């Protein structure tokens, strides 16, 4: 190679990904792959795994939806997700009376704890709307809740970006926002492949950063 020129990063880069219905990483990964064609990408679904389990998952980095990045990780915020109340037009048309929080059935997704908003943030938000919400379905993840709401099982607290084909409900703004972060361990941050990914992201995303504490 030319004297003084850094070698092009190569090899496999494994990423643990959040629910793609909350944040679609493929446009980012497509651009990164074009910029670094010698890197082979491998992806794995994070499920409800904590970011601090990167080592156990044998992953180099994670794209995670959270408002509380783990203290031991470093990273950069890619985006923010605004949540709102949504239902399908057909479901709303099937209601016999006015649309109210007490009149609709609700779909709740249990994997919401992974956002760092707490185990019961949806129930708490619902109780601010109506004292006794009628729960129709408890889904494992946001993607399943989104599909259930689209199918007409009820209304849900969903990502506004993912629910553009649904109808926003005339309730008070939930006021709930979660961050999307690219995270890694500080020792992995110095590897050529991870450094290349963070450099690529830094050129295109200008959100907050977090350092290990």
């Amino acid at each position: 190679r030319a004297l003084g020129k850094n070698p092009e990063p190569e090899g496999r880069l494994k990423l643990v990904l959040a629910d793609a219905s909350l944040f679609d990483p493929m446009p980012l990964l497509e651009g990164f792959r074009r910029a670094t064609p010698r890197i082979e990408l491998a992806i794995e679904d994070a499920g409800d795994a904590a970011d601090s389990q990167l080592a156990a998952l044998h992953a180099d980095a994670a794209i995670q939806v959270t408002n509380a990045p783990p203290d031991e990780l470093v990273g950069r915020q890619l985006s923010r997700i605004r949540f709102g109340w949504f239902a399908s037009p057909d479901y709303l048309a099937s209601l016999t009376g006015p649309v109210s929080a007490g009149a609709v059935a609700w779909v709740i997704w249990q994997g919401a704890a992974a956002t760092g908003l707490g185990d019961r943030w949806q129930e708490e938000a619902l109780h601010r709307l109506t004292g006794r919400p009628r729960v129709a379905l408890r889904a494992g993840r946001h993607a399943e809740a989104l599909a259930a709401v689209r199918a007409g099982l009820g209304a849900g607290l969903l990502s506004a970006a993912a629910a553009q084909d649904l109808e926003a409900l005339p309730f008070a703004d939930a006021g709930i926002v979660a961050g999307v972060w690219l995270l890694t361990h500080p020792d992995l941050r110095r590897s050529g492949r991870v450094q290349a990914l963070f450099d690529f992201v830094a050129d295109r995303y200008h959100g907050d950063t977090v350092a290990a504490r």
Side-chain angles (χ1 to χ4, degrees):
R1 71 179 181 270
L3 185 63
K5 185 176 180 180
N6 291 329
E8 184 177 352
E10 60 182 337
R12 177 174 293 186
L13 178 68
K14 183 176 179 180
L15 299 170
V16 177
L17 302 182
D19 185 336
S21 72
L22 287 168
F23 178 78
D24 181 4
M26 294 307 163
L28 183 158
L29 298 182
E30 188 277 332
F32 176 66
R33 183 67 177 73
R34 279 192 287 109
T36 56
R38 298 180 68 178
I39 289 181
E40 174 189 328
L41 295 172
I43 60 175
E44 182 173 322
D45 187 348
D48 292 329
D51 295 329
S52 56
Q53 294 177 342
L54 281 177
L57 294 170
H58 305 291
D60 298 298
I63 295 177
Q64 185 67 36
V65 178
T66 181
N67 278 339
D71 290 347
E72 69 271 21
L73 301 184
V74 297
R76 177 176 291 272
Q77 186 170 273
L78 304 177
S79 182
R80 290 180 70 76
I81 300 168
R82 180 176 63 84
F83 291 95
W85 310 106
F86 294 93
S88 73
D90 288 346
Y91 174 74
L92 294 176
S94 73
L95 299 177
T96 57
V99 176
S100 69
V104 302
W106 292 97
V107 174
I108 295 174
W109 43 290
Q110 305 291 5
T115 62
L117 293 169
D119 292 337
R120 293 182 53 81
W121 67 280
Q122 289 182 77
E123 286 91 339
E124 291 166 359
L126 272 176
H127 280 290
R128 289 194 292 271
L129 286 180
T130 177
R132 299 185 66 181
R134 294 186 300 114
V135 177
L137 176 72
R138 295 182 184 271
R141 308 190 69 195
H142 178 268
E144 296 162 354
L146 179 62
V149 172
R150 283 174 173 158
L153 271 78
L157 187 55
L158 303 170
S159 160
Q164 294 182 35
D165 58 324
L166 300 173
E167 187 169 327
L169 299 178
F171 306 149
D173 186 349
I176 298 172
V177 178
V180 181
W181 290 81
L182 173 65
L183 297 165
T184 190
H185 284 289
D187 53 349
L188 294 174
R189 178 71 171 80
R190 293 185 287 271
S191 79
R193 294 183 293 276
V194 175
Q195 181 69 52
L197 177 60
F198 272 80
D199 288 347
F200 178 84
V201 166
D203 288 341
R204 290 157 179 81
Y205 296 86
H206 304 288
D208 296 337
T209 58
V210 63
R213 296 187 287 276

